Amino acid sequence: MIQLYDVDLKLLRVFETIVKCGGFSAAQAALNVGQSTISEQMTQLEARLGVKLCQRGRSGFRLTEQGVAIHEATQRLLSAVETFCMDADVLKRHISGTLNLGIIDTTITDPDSPLPATTQRFVARGHDVHLNVYVGTPSELEERVLDGRLHLAIGHFPFRVPGLTYSPLYQEVLGLYCGRHHPLYRSQAADEELQRQIAASRLVARGFLQQSDLELVGATKAAATVDNIEALAILIISGAYLGFLPRHFAFRWVEAGDMRPLLPERLRPLAAFDVITRRGLAPPPILEAFLDDLAGCSKPA
């Protein structure tokens, strides 16, 4: 029984091309080799198979009886090889297991977030994956990615922790807001006077960005501190505090008249969102597949 090797498959593909083109001369362009090389390859194939495959000469090119049979067998073989490659590729792309994803809160209303589109694309590929989503503060997410409890996390990370890789995704626009019961809600003061009134007001600051929030409004200390945006919104709506919120998140209350942005053209800081992964380890297939889809759904940061 003939044992097939890589070189035999190569020679059979040459033979298939010659038959498809109708001769040695016509096959030169398709194979990008000279006629002498094609003739030598056919001689090698006939020697390997032990049969005469074709007649070539002044009368033209034609297959022998054995050549016809070998050509049909070649088509079946090459078709089977192609099917095998496609099946193997499908198996390679099929991902299974649990993906542990971390996110910060209140990003559902952000039109620039790539997470909804990424999740839809990832699930639509038919992966046998269980998605486990954890919502936490930036520091909690960094800790969980670092110790392996999360494969990746998406959020605003103002500091850099050794051992993690930070890849930019997009930017979120913030604004300074007060509630309808706050004294500044109906203020008609000019910008400079309003800036002074803001600095003298009670500010609720984000715990992980307290110094940044204070510097933005010119205040010296925070009157309240929170670790998530929902708690911050509650204190702003109360009318007792001013605070920074993502504009997309505050939109519903601004439209309803429950909040007002203060100095919106001047106070509009940007929060850079990154995806973080653990550094130094080869990503498992499930993480690699999700990161590919995340990159495909993200706009330039």
Side-chain angles (χ1 to χ4, degrees), residues 136-205:
T137 65
S139 59
E140 287 174 339
L141 297 181
E142 288 170 322
E143 179 183 346
R144 286 172 177 262
V145 172
L146 198 59
D147 66 19
R149 284 179 287 173
L150 293 176
H151 288 105
L152 76 161
I154 297 172
H156 177 51
F157 304 101
F159 308 106
R160 292 295 183 260
V161 174
L164 295 177
T165 297
Y166 295 78
S167 303
L169 279 182
Y170 66 99
Q171 291 186 318
E172 179 183 69
V173 183
L174 305 175
L176 181 68
Y177 294 90
C178 69
R180 71 160 66 238
H181 302 298
H182 194 279
L184 296 184
Y185 184 83
R186 304 187 187 283
S187 174
Q188 299 297 318
D191 286 359
E192 296 304 321
E193 175 59 21
L194 183 56
Q195 180 79 58
R196 187 191 65 77
Q197 293 174 355
I198 289 172
S201 299
R202 287 189 296 267
L203 180 75
V204 51

Side-chain angles (χ1 to χ4, degrees), residues 15-27 55-56 60-63:
F15 176 50
E16 169 66 15
T17 302
I18 293 171
V19 175
K20 184 184 299 183
C21 294
F24 287 25
S25 298
Q55 300 290 341
R56 60 263 197 194
F61 173 84
R62 69 178 183 85
L63 293 176

Side-chain angles (χ1 to χ4, degrees), residues 23-40:
F24 287 25
S25 298
Q28 291 180 79
L31 295 171
N32 197 29
V33 294
Q35 188 167 337
S36 61
T37 300
I38 295 175
S39 179
E40 182 181 342

Side-chain angles (χ1 to χ4, degrees), residues 5-298:
Y5 301 96
D6 288 346
V7 65
D8 297 317
L9 288 174
K10 178 181 178 181
L11 294 174
L12 286 170
R13 287 192 173 94
V14 170
F15 176 50
E16 169 66 15
T17 302
I18 293 171
V19 175
K20 184 184 299 183
C21 294
F24 287 25
S25 298
Q28 291 180 79
L31 295 171
N32 197 29
V33 294
Q35 188 167 337
S36 61
T37 300
I38 295 175
S39 179
E40 182 181 342
Q41 290 173 327
M42 283 299 298
T43 300
Q44 293 176 14
L45 180 59
E46 289 175 335
R48 283 284 297 140
L49 298 176
V51 295
K52 187 73 172 176
L53 296 175
C54 59
Q55 300 290 341
R56 60 263 197 194
R58 292 182 180 178
S59 60
F61 173 84
R62 69 178 183 85
L63 293 176
T64 64
E65 185 178 342
Q66 294 94 334
V68 171
I70 291 295
H71 179 245
E72 292 174 354
T74 297
Q75 290 180 310
R76 293 193 298 270
L77 173 63
L78 296 181
S79 177
V81 170
E82 184 177 352
T83 300
F84 169 82
C85 291
M86 289 191 296
D87 289 345
D89 190 54
V90 168
L91 290 173
K92 181 181 69 175
R93 294 171 184 269
H94 183 74
I95 305 297
S96 62
T98 298
L99 178 69
N100 298 311
L101 166 68
I103 59 175
I104 62 174
D105 66 327
T106 67
T107 57
I108 183 62
T109 54
D110 192 344
D112 293 325
S113 172
L115 191 54
T118 299
T119 304
Q120 195 281 333
R121 178 185 292 193
F122 183 70
V123 172
R125 295 187 186 279
H127 300 317
D128 182 19
V129 170
H130 179 84
L131 194 60
N132 182 31
V133 181
Y134 176 82
V135 179
T137 65
S139 59
E140 287 174 339
L141 297 181
E142 288 170 322
E143 179 183 346
R144 286 172 177 262
V145 172
L146 198 59
D147 66 19
R149 284 179 287 173
L150 293 176
H151 288 105
L152 76 161
I154 297 172
H156 177 51
F157 304 101
F159 308 106
R160 292 295 183 260
V161 174
L164 295 177
T165 297
Y166 295 78
S167 303
L169 279 182
Y170 66 99
Q171 291 186 318
E172 179 183 69
V173 183
L174 305 175
L176 181 68
Y177 294 90
C178 69
R180 71 160 66 238
H181 302 298
H182 194 279
L184 296 184
Y185 184 83
R186 304 187 187 283
S187 174
Q188 299 297 318
D191 286 359
E192 296 304 321
E193 175 59 21
L194 183 56
Q195 180 79 58
R196 187 191 65 77
Q197 293 174 355
I198 289 172
S201 299
R202 287 189 296 267
L203 180 75
V204 51
R206 297 164 289 175
F208 56 96
L209 281 173
Q210 182 169 156
Q211 190 58 41
S212 173
D213 288 351
L214 292 173
E215 290 175 357
L216 284 169
V217 300
T220 57
K221 66 177 182 178
T225 305
V226 296
D227 283 328
N228 64 73
I229 300 300
E230 185 174 353
L232 198 157
I234 290 173
L235 295 186
I236 293 174
I237 290 174
S238 74
Y241 300 89
L242 306 179
F244 285 96
L245 290 173
R247 288 194 173 189
H248 62 83
F249 184 67
F251 178 79
R252 75 185 84 172
W253 291 292
V254 173
E255 286 291 289
D258 294 321
M259 285 186 191
R260 171 197 169 187
L262 299 173
L263 299 176
E265 299 305 318
R266 182 180 298 186
L267 296 175
R268 45 178 296 123
L270 297 175
F273 270 59
D274 297 323
V275 54
I276 59 172
T277 54
R278 190 175 176 185
R279 184 182 300 168
L281 296 178
I286 192 171
L287 173 56
E288 200 167 32
F290 190 84
L291 289 175
D292 285 344
D293 286 337
L294 183 62
C297 294
S298 299

